Amino acid sequence: MFEKANGSAVTDDAGKADGISEVRRQEALLKTGALQNAILTSANFSIIATDEKGIIQLFNIGAERMLGYQAAEVVNKISPSDIHDPQEVIARAQALSLELATPITPGFEALAFKASRGIEDSYELTYICKDGSRFPAIVSITALRDDYGDIIGYLLIGADNSIRKQVELELHDAMAVAEKANLAKSDFLSSMSHELRTPLSAILGFAQLIESGSPSPTVSQRRSVDQILKAGWYLLDLINEILDLAVIESGKLSLSLEPISLAEVLNECRAMIEPQAHKRGISVRFPWFEVPCFVKADRTRVKQVLINLLTNAIKYNKVGGAVVVDCVENVPGRTRISVQDNGEGLSTDQLMQLFQPFNRLGQEASLEEGTGIGLVVCKRLIELMGGAIGVESTVGTGSVFWLELNLTDERAVAADVVEPVTVPQVKVQANALLRSVLYVEDNPANLMLVEDLMARRSDIRLLSARDGISGIEIARASLPDVILMDINLPGISGIRALRILADDPTTAHIPVVALSANAMPRDIEKGMEAGFYRYLTKPIKVNEFMETLDLTLAFAKTEAIRLHKEKRA
Ligand code: MN
């Protein structure tokens, strides 16, 4: 093989070498020969050549070093398929058999098939050494042809791939570790959220109870309670926002991007912020949509961002100021929603610090509470939705905060539009039927709070259970109108208990409201999917809690009437 290659180089050179002296021709020959020799004796590549039947004819020093055989032990004796992992050779033969719809024997043919058809390729294969040890190799296989184009053998050039494989393996391991750490972080955040909320629940719950209790608190007591509540709600905001930011930064936030109607979302925002605007004497103007406008975004998160911008525009406005919301398609395919206020405006310096966490731009000493994280979260959220957020401001005139989102032609599916929450007027009449509510809760402070709240309602009888199993027993025995269910319970979880109740025909009709300190959006989604009628998060907000309870009692009543009619029919 070596002789032949050398020989053909001579003929080629000789043909072109007319004007070159014999000495130079000899020098060139020697140089070419030396190079070819060096290539063949290179220790970095295994060079194996076979005859047309696949019997090894050449086995270079590199191959000897890599595989541990001496050339004399393999030349004219074995085929390259004998030094490959038999499983790989079988797999290649099977793949080929499928491709060609004809059986291929798992030997050299399977290795050389592509090369014999003139297709050059390299493969990741496992070489087996003389001592039985194995290593991954990258092998390129080429067919060798004579002057007539007939195959006279095959050339296999292999390189040790162990280091790359090792790096790949380490990378894979590192990724698995990072993934695990991320999961642990996510779990940690979720449980920290729960741990922080539980004591806050008691603080905020009982403070609200005192605030609205009878006899009413004295002026100085009310002042103290107001401070407790204010600090408590602030702490709650802080916990929520830090956790939100941490979840976003950890890359664990799941957004569901879908077509949403901008008019609808803005309407919901309007309903939520009008009371605060009214309280401060700020007028709010929203745009009117002549044609429906749909953006691709996560409904909950867009609302969160808009509410944040609107709340800021109200909070940092001047007395008697206005907030103007506008909506324009500034670039084709993209809509810009802007929120304009008549506040003090922001200086260039302040604008530059605006989207940094915990930076309240000198508002630290002001009466307005705020964590300074809100806008950072907004920016991350909008960017995750493929949008942009920004601000233009003039000192003394006010600011315009804007966000841009991608428009879409698709229409929102009406199915998951949240039903508007209309709070029915429940008037307690002297002869009203006594309604019963079962509260399954292991935390004594929460239980006490709800007991105190229910003590104010002469129409409600409260039953309680400390864990899921006894909750189910009491529900079966006394068939309450409504069940309030904690999620983190000793023994079975609130979600398991809910499933058991829903599967039991005697209790399936009872609406169950979750009341949990698991307040991450994912927790709430999971809860609603599990089939809770409503999902309330702790700390309990007394008004929201009472409204939800009345709503659920009203629902239970119509359900009872419907079931009664069904039975009679
Ligand atoms: Mn609990």
Side-chain angles (χ1 to χ4, degrees), residues 194 441-443 486 488-489 538:
H194 184 263
E441 170 67 79
D442 61 320
N443 181 300
D486 181 28
N488 289 52
L489 286 165
K538 294 172 191 164

Side-chain angles (χ1 to χ4, degrees), residues 192-210 228-229 231-233 235-237 239-240 439 441-450 452-453 486 515-519 536-542 545:
M192 185 168 95
S193 156
H194 184 263
E195 291 309 317
L196 292 173
R197 279 159 177 282
T198 306
L200 247 191
S201 297
I203 296 169
L204 284 168
F206 287 104
Q208 289 178 90
L209 207 63
I210 296 170
I228 298 173
L229 283 172
W233 291 123
L235 190 54
L236 183 65
D237 280 349
I239 292 169
N240 287 343
Y439 185 23
E441 170 67 79
D442 61 320
N443 181 300
N446 283 322
L447 189 57
M448 214 163 104
L449 176 65
V450 171
D452 286 355
L453 282 171
D486 181 28
L515 195 56
S516 173
N518 299 344
L536 292 178
T537 58
K538 294 172 191 164
I540 291 173
K541 294 161 202 76
V542 170
F545 173 77

